[in-house]
Amino acid sequence: MINKTVADAKVAVADVFSDSVLMLGGFGLSGIPENCIQALLEKDLSGLTCISNNAGVDDFGIGLMLKKKMVKKMISSYVGENAEFERQLLSGELEVELIPQGTLAERVRAGGAGIPAFFTPAGVGTEVADGKEIREFEGKLYLLERWLKADFAFVKAWKGDTAGNLIFKGTARNFNPMMAAAGRITIAEVEELVPAGELDPNAIHTPGIYVQRIFQGKDYEKRIEQRTVSKR
Amino acid sequence: MINKTVADAKVAVADVFSDSVLMLGGFGLSGIPENCIQALLEKDLSGLTCISNNAGVDDFGIGLMLKKKMVKKMISSYVGENAEFERQLLSGELEVELIPQGTLAERVRAGGAGIPAFFTPAGVGTEVADGKEIREFEGKLYLLERWLKADFAFVKAWKGDTAGNLIFKGTARNFNPMMAAAGRITIAEVEELVPAGELDPNAIHTPGIYVQRIFQGKDYEKRIEQRTVSKR
Amino acid sequence: MLNKDQIAQRIAKEVQNGQYINLGIGIPTLVANYIPDNLEVVLQSENGLLGIGPFPTEDKIDPDLINAGKQTITMAKGSVLFNSAESFAMIRGGHVHLTILGAMEVSETGDIANWKIPGKMVKGMGGAMDLVASAENIIVAMQHCSRDGKSKLLQKCSLPITGIRCVKKIVTDIAVLDILPEGGFKLIERAPGVSVEEIKEKTAGKLVVEGEIPEMKFD
Amino acid sequence: MLNKDQIAQRIAKEVQNGQYINLGIGIPTLVANYIPDNLEVVLQSENGLLGIGPFPTEDKIDPDLINAGKQTITMAKGSVLFNSAESFAMIRGGHVHLTILGAMEVSETGDIANWKIPGKMVKGMGGAMDLVASAENIIVAMQHCSRDGKSKLLQKCSLPITGIRCVKKIVTDIAVLDILPEGGFKLIERAPGVSVEEIKEKTAGKLVVEGEIPEMKFD
């Protein structure tokens, strides 16, 4: 089986270039590629377009890339609480494209699956529909939406093997599998890297064909945004 | 968790009606809903439209439904070797719509996912494109294809739980997961039915939300079409 | 006038056995607390889980297990995990039976506005537009009026729309109302001690009152 | 003239390290036998497997594990199973590097016909139309002429088309030819003992011959 292992995050992101289009997995701060983001921060990059459901928080995740002014444009469904984000947006330094979450997921899925466009009901009658083709099917209105692809996709999995096969954990799966398929170069960081053949072929979430580079990450912080507990 | 268990195949198919649209999982004879097909054969049905990648063989699978003249129309990608099928097709008793396999898979997926139409490159420049909208995206031509849905979807899984969650085995997965999502009523037969909570939530292929009825099948024949062995 | 918990409690009465339900952030999340134990329902979290359990005890917290509001959660027995495309395939494909969400405004034709206030920082629509465009049955939990006393049940929404002709029922702090297919808020129930007159005054859109309007009952 | 195994053997030389490959039914399936051991490649079966292993021994036969030709197979180390939608997502999305398939006819512009003969029973296109419409690199394995001696390398296909402008290379029993971007079969190699003259005679479409044409070499 093809071995896609690279030494670490630094090696994995070595050829990421300014003005490129990136996808970053995760929902909130859950399942984000922490190691790759750190390695990107250490490079001299600017003008990036980042496709990610959220934009991190002021001091973690994509928020750190915003602070370093590496990002020209965010494509997200919810940009949450992030003061620096807000400042850059209001000052015009940052461009933001907001997309319904399901449309975002499906556009990324379409990018990986070779579907250049599809119809979805989300956004009909709203400003999301502005300039888009609207068509009726079986009595209901739908918008035509286009695929999304990226120069580099960064995903974070729980376990992976040297062939690039990935298994995610809990709700940290979220956008990661679709982004893995939609990146021209997909870089996977995993908590545990095992030799090809050690993962159950029937339980793999992302087939290795979508992954060009894989490495075992370290020092995962896995920050929690809303720590909510019950007493019993 | 909602309990979707029914006693057996006979109960599961009780309300299937003539002239309805059925989806049947499987690739060749692998992963076909053997018990449900048997139960359908024992009902007095006619005028069915069957959506299935293949049409069985003369004496097994959907071939048996053809022999009983229950089927008005087959929607498939490959109808293979089946003498009775050929006879009915040539005599005009049976209508056949042939669809590229990937387009079939995606149309069924679209039916379950609420995507009424999408663009695909398969079939451009061929008779499959006749009468279909063709559009260029990024220099390449694509066809507009519509979703497929069914009144009843019949799927066969390896393991299932009472909440309808399913795990398939090997390449017997094939069309089953998409069809489970595209049926108004989806009936799952499984080799092993376990209480909800016994399957690993992270390893389930079909979420129970798509399944309306589930039962433990019996006497699986699992016929092999091309028994191919190596000596060593 | 109902408090937030009472609104949630009233909405819980609409839940039926066997339903798959998506609960939005805010009051809708509270609905889970009032679903009767004898009903088997499954709660969806659109970030990739069917079968939300209670919040975890301190020792069970898992950063890899959160809901759409980014709160730490647990999984119910028989739950299943999946990716975001599959999650919205479920929603868009009409497999989720009931969606409960908050709103800033609802129009008498069932349009909803709940994602954007012009001039304020826009945070994004998240999954709201997919949910309202797809769900067969949408119940809105909201205050009948804004803090400065203006009705939020309007002839036409003034804020940017999240979805059109989608809301089926509204539970506010003073009333339960259905959206009529032909347009109009049909008054179904009054909050204890609230008069029909008061509801009329506080509803800017077309209010339809037929016969005696009962008071809500809480067990 | 090459036999089927030799055609497969010649095609195997086109395989590069690290490729994901889809092999069609017939001669293409034989290519797997000639891929050098030092190359790491992964074979896709479009019914839901990446990592096809050798055929099973009698005791290892599993009816739940077949290839797209419905033959019983085994799984290679590091393989992964998936459903048909995911499988064709891979194909359509351009993730499979090399597709090798048979053909009844190929045109000088790279059109391929391999699924239907008018007047004969139609069995269906299976995954062929998806594969040819999607793959970046398609190699066709075929006989240069039909049994009655007619060329199958034509100016324009006479049979119903499977896909247009998609074939990149053809390996026949007498020659290796590239399809030129501007149209035309460019002769690359001759089968041992076959003359350029013979290839010219047997090619109905535009044949481009430049310089000396080497004989194929087999190790």
Side-chain angles (χ1 to χ4, degrees):
Chain A
M1 195 58 57
I2 306 158
N3 190 334
K4 295 165 179 177
T5 313
V6 295
D8 56 22
K10 192 177 172 182
V11 177
V13 308
D15 56 352
V16 176
F17 52 91
S18 286
D19 302 315
S20 59
V21 176
L22 313 186
M23 284 184 183
L24 299 103
F27 182 94
L29 300 177
S30 182
I32 63 172
E34 295 187 18
N35 280 236
C36 283
I37 291 173
Q38 198 51 51
L40 289 170
L41 288 169
E42 287 160 20
K43 281 174 67 83
D44 185 27
L45 291 170
S46 63
L48 300 173
T49 295
C50 290
I51 303 170
S52 187
N53 188 57
N54 311 93
V57 293
D58 269 321
D59 60 346
F60 201 59
I62 296 174
L64 296 170
M65 295 170 67
L66 292 165
K67 195 172 273 177
K68 262 200 81 181
K69 300 191 180 170
M70 298 163 70
V71 183
K72 180 183 69 180
K73 182 175 180 180
M74 279 300 312
I75 299 179
S76 302
S77 90
Y78 191 84
V79 289
E81 350 289 318
N82 192 320
E84 175 63 14
F85 182 99
E86 192 165 345
R87 196 197 60 70
Q88 290 187 19
L89 181 60
L90 295 173
S91 71
E93 292 166 67
L94 182 67
E95 196 183 333
V96 178
E97 187 179 337
L98 293 169
I99 297 178
Q101 194 177 143
T103 299
L104 178 62
E106 192 66 16
R107 288 178 67 185
V108 175
R109 192 252 173 201
I115 304 283
F118 60 89
F119 285 94
T120 178
V124 168
T126 77
E127 65 183 54
V128 166
D130 289 352
K132 287 178 188 154
E133 180 180 336
I134 295 172
R135 197 182 292 198
E136 187 176 321
F137 294 93
E138 300 175 23
K140 184 168 171 169
L141 297 175
Y142 295 84
L143 298 182
L144 187 66
E145 293 280 3
R146 297 284 296 271
W147 59 11
L148 282 172
K149 297 197 271 193
D151 296 312
F152 297 90
F154 301 94
V155 301
K156 152 73 173 54
W158 178 39
K159 291 182 184 177
D161 71 19
T162 52
N165 296 307
L166 305 177
I167 296 178
F168 303 91
K169 179 167 163 271
T171 54
R173 193 183 320 180
N174 54 66
F175 284 82
N176 282 297
M178 287 79 71
M179 290 186 170
R184 193 172 54 75
I185 302 286
T186 290
I187 299 163
E189 56 177 270
V190 299
E191 292 180 54
E192 188 186 348
L193 182 62
V194 302
E198 291 202 5
L199 300 179
D200 176 0
N202 207 27
I204 290 166
H205 299 133
T206 285
I209 191 171
Y210 298 127
V211 174
Q212 277 69 46
R213 299 169 198 162
I214 190 167
F215 69 93
Q216 182 164 317
K218 58 184 183 185
D219 305 330
Y220 282 103
E221 187 176 337
K222 293 193 181 184
R223 200 183 289 191
I224 293 171
E225 281 183 87
Q226 302 287 341
R227 190 179 193 87
T228 319
V229 295
S230 71
K231 278 135 258 166
R232 0 155 236 156
Chain B
M1 197 56 59
I2 305 159
N3 189 335
K4 295 166 179 175
T5 313
V6 295
D8 56 23
K10 193 178 170 182
V11 178
V13 308
D15 56 352
V16 176
F17 52 91
S18 286
D19 302 315
S20 59
V21 177
L22 313 185
M23 284 184 184
L24 299 105
F27 182 95
L29 299 177
S30 182
I32 63 172
E34 294 187 18
N35 280 235
C36 283
I37 291 173
Q38 198 51 50
L40 289 170
L41 288 169
E42 287 159 21
K43 281 173 68 82
D44 185 28
L45 291 170
S46 63
L48 300 173
T49 295
C50 290
I51 303 171
S52 186
N53 188 56
N54 311 93
V57 293
D58 270 319
D59 60 345
F60 201 57
I62 295 174
L64 297 169
M65 296 171 68
L66 292 167
K67 196 172 272 177
K68 263 201 78 181
K69 300 190 179 169
M70 299 163 69
V71 183
K72 181 183 69 182
K73 182 176 181 179
M74 280 299 314
I75 299 178
S76 303
S77 89
Y78 190 84
V79 289
E81 349 288 320
N82 192 319
E84 176 62 14
F85 182 98
E86 191 166 345
R87 195 197 60 71
Q88 290 187 20
L89 181 60
L90 295 174
S91 73
E93 292 165 66
L94 182 67
E95 197 183 332
V96 177
E97 187 179 339
L98 292 169
I99 296 177
Q101 194 177 144
T103 299
L104 178 62
E106 192 65 16
R107 288 179 67 186
V108 175
R109 192 254 173 199
I115 304 284
F118 60 90
F119 285 95
T120 178
V124 168
T126 77
E127 63 184 54
V128 166
D130 289 351
K132 287 177 188 155
E133 180 179 336
I134 295 172
R135 200 182 289 198
E136 187 176 322
F137 294 93
E138 300 175 23
K140 183 168 172 168
L141 297 175
Y142 295 84
L143 298 183
L144 186 67
E145 294 280 2
R146 297 284 294 272
W147 59 10
L148 282 170
K149 296 198 271 194
D151 297 311
F152 297 90
F154 301 95
V155 301
K156 152 75 173 51
W158 177 39
K159 291 182 184 176
D161 70 20
T162 52
N165 296 306
L166 305 177
I167 295 178
F168 303 90
K169 177 167 163 270
T171 54
R173 192 183 321 180
N174 53 65
F175 284 82
N176 282 297
M178 287 79 74
M179 289 187 171
R184 193 173 52 76
I185 303 287
T186 290
I187 299 163
E189 57 177 89
V190 299
E191 292 180 55
E192 188 186 348
L193 182 62
V194 300
E198 291 202 5
L199 300 179
D200 176 359
N202 207 27
I204 290 165
H205 300 133
T206 286
I209 191 171
Y210 298 127
V211 174
Q212 278 68 46
R213 299 169 198 162
I214 190 166
F215 69 93
Q216 182 164 317
K218 58 183 183 186
D219 305 331
Y220 283 102
E221 187 176 336
K222 294 194 181 184
R223 200 182 291 189
I224 293 172
E225 283 184 85
Q226 303 285 340
R227 191 178 192 88
T228 319
V229 295
S230 72
K231 278 137 256 166
R232 1 157 233 154
Chain C
M1 303 242 297
L2 307 185
N3 61 29
K4 288 180 178 181
D5 274 287
Q6 288 170 313
I7 294 176
Q9 196 176 351
R10 175 60 189 83
I11 290 176
K13 287 188 169 190
E14 304 295 325
V15 171
Q16 288 166 30
N17 194 40
Q19 284 185 326
Y20 288 86
I21 305 171
N22 184 293
L23 301 178
I25 295 164
I27 298 175
T29 302
L30 300 174
V31 173
N33 301 333
Y34 298 100
I35 298 174
D37 287 342
N38 64 329
L39 296 188
E40 298 271 18
V41 299
V42 179
L43 303 180
Q44 195 220 28
S45 192
E46 67 260 30
N47 55 322
L49 171 65
L50 274 175
I52 305 175
F55 292 121
T57 50
E58 192 66 46
D59 58 317
K60 290 281 186 340
I61 282 183
D62 180 353
D64 293 325
L65 200 57
I66 61 171
N67 65 17
K70 284 131 191 168
Q71 295 173 306
T72 45
I73 51 167
T74 60
M75 293 193 284
K77 199 179 73 167
S79 60
V80 48
L81 296 155
F82 37 84
N83 66 45
S84 300
E86 182 74 47
S87 184
F88 283 92
M90 275 171 209
I91 290 168
R92 212 187 299 106
H95 305 278
V96 175
H97 301 114
L98 179 59
T99 295
I100 302 171
L101 71 176
M104 300 169 186
E105 294 178 351
V106 174
S107 85
E108 64 189 36
T109 55
D111 296 355
I112 179 171
N114 72 348
W115 79 284
K116 186 176 180 179
I117 301 174
K120 284 207 182 177
M121 167 67 185
V122 181
K123 292 185 175 175
M125 66 292 280
M129 283 194 185
D130 308 275
L131 282 160
V132 302
S134 308
E136 282 301 304
N137 192 8
I138 296 174
I139 302 179
V140 164
M142 67 191 294
Q143 304 300 322
H144 211 95
C145 296
S146 62
R147 273 177 216 161
D148 55 355
K150 281 190 188 133
S151 177
K152 297 160 86 173
L153 280 64
L154 307 169
Q155 194 205 339
K156 201 169 173 304
C157 292
S158 67
L159 294 171
I161 294 291
T162 310
I164 53 169
R165 298 180 172 278
C166 54
V167 177
K168 296 284 183 293
K169 192 183 283 284
I170 307 167
V171 179
T172 76
D173 51 339
I174 60 170
V176 178
L177 311 101
D178 282 352
I179 301 284
L180 292 171
E182 67 272 23
F185 300 102
K186 180 166 184 189
L187 186 57
I188 305 294
E189 290 176 15
R190 300 171 290 126
V194 175
S195 69
V196 171
E197 245 356 87
E198 180 180 343
I199 296 166
K200 272 186 187 161
E201 268 166 39
K202 291 183 169 172
T203 304
K206 179 182 170 192
L207 186 72
V208 177
V209 183
E210 282 175 5
E212 206 61 31
I213 306 299
E215 268 194 8
M216 295 178 209
K217 285 194 182 63
F218 292 94
D219 314 316
Chain D
M1 303 240 297
L2 306 186
N3 61 29
K4 288 179 178 184
D5 273 288
Q6 287 171 313
I7 294 176
Q9 196 177 350
R10 176 60 190 80
I11 290 176
K13 287 188 168 189
E14 303 295 323
V15 171
Q16 289 167 29
N17 195 40
Q19 284 185 326
Y20 288 86
I21 305 171
N22 185 292
L23 301 178
I25 295 165
I27 299 175
T29 303
L30 299 174
V31 173
N33 301 333
Y34 299 99
I35 298 173
D37 287 342
N38 64 330
L39 295 189
E40 298 271 19
V41 299
V42 180
L43 303 180
Q44 194 220 28
S45 192
E46 67 260 29
N47 56 321
L49 170 66
L50 274 175
I52 305 176
F55 292 121
T57 50
E58 193 66 46
D59 58 317
K60 289 280 187 342
I61 283 182
D62 180 352
D64 293 326
L65 200 58
I66 61 172
N67 65 17
K70 284 129 192 168
Q71 296 173 306
T72 45
I73 52 166
T74 60
M75 293 194 284
K77 199 178 72 167
S79 60
V80 48
L81 296 156
F82 37 84
N83 66 44
S84 300
E86 182 75 48
S87 184
F88 283 93
M90 276 171 207
I91 289 168
R92 212 187 299 104
H95 304 279
V96 175
H97 301 113
L98 178 61
T99 294
I100 302 171
L101 72 175
M104 300 169 186
E105 293 178 352
V106 173
S107 84
E108 64 189 37
T109 55
D111 296 356
I112 178 171
N114 71 349
W115 79 283
K116 187 177 180 178
I117 301 176
K120 283 206 183 177
M121 167 67 186
V122 181
K123 293 184 175 175
M125 65 292 279
M129 283 193 185
D130 308 275
L131 282 160
V132 301
S134 308
E136 282 301 305
N137 192 8
I138 296 174
I139 302 180
V140 164
M142 68 191 293
Q143 303 300 322
H144 211 95
C145 295
S146 62
R147 273 179 215 161
D148 55 354
K150 280 187 189 137
S151 177
K152 297 161 86 174
L153 279 64
L154 307 169
Q155 193 204 340
K156 201 167 173 302
C157 292
S158 67
L159 295 170
I161 293 292
T162 310
I164 52 170
R165 298 181 171 277
C166 54
V167 177
K168 295 285 183 293
K169 191 183 282 284
I170 307 167
V171 178
T172 75
D173 50 338
I174 59 170
V176 178
L177 312 101
D178 282 352
I179 302 282
L180 293 171
E182 67 273 23
F185 300 101
K186 178 165 186 191
L187 185 58
I188 304 295
E189 290 176 16
R190 299 172 290 125
V194 174
S195 68
V196 170
E197 239 4 80
E198 180 180 345
I199 296 165
K200 271 185 187 162
E201 269 167 38
K202 291 183 168 173
T203 303
K206 180 184 171 191
L207 186 75
V208 177
V209 184
E210 283 175 3
E212 205 60 34
I213 306 299
E215 268 194 9
M216 294 178 210
K217 285 195 182 63
F218 292 93
D219 315 315

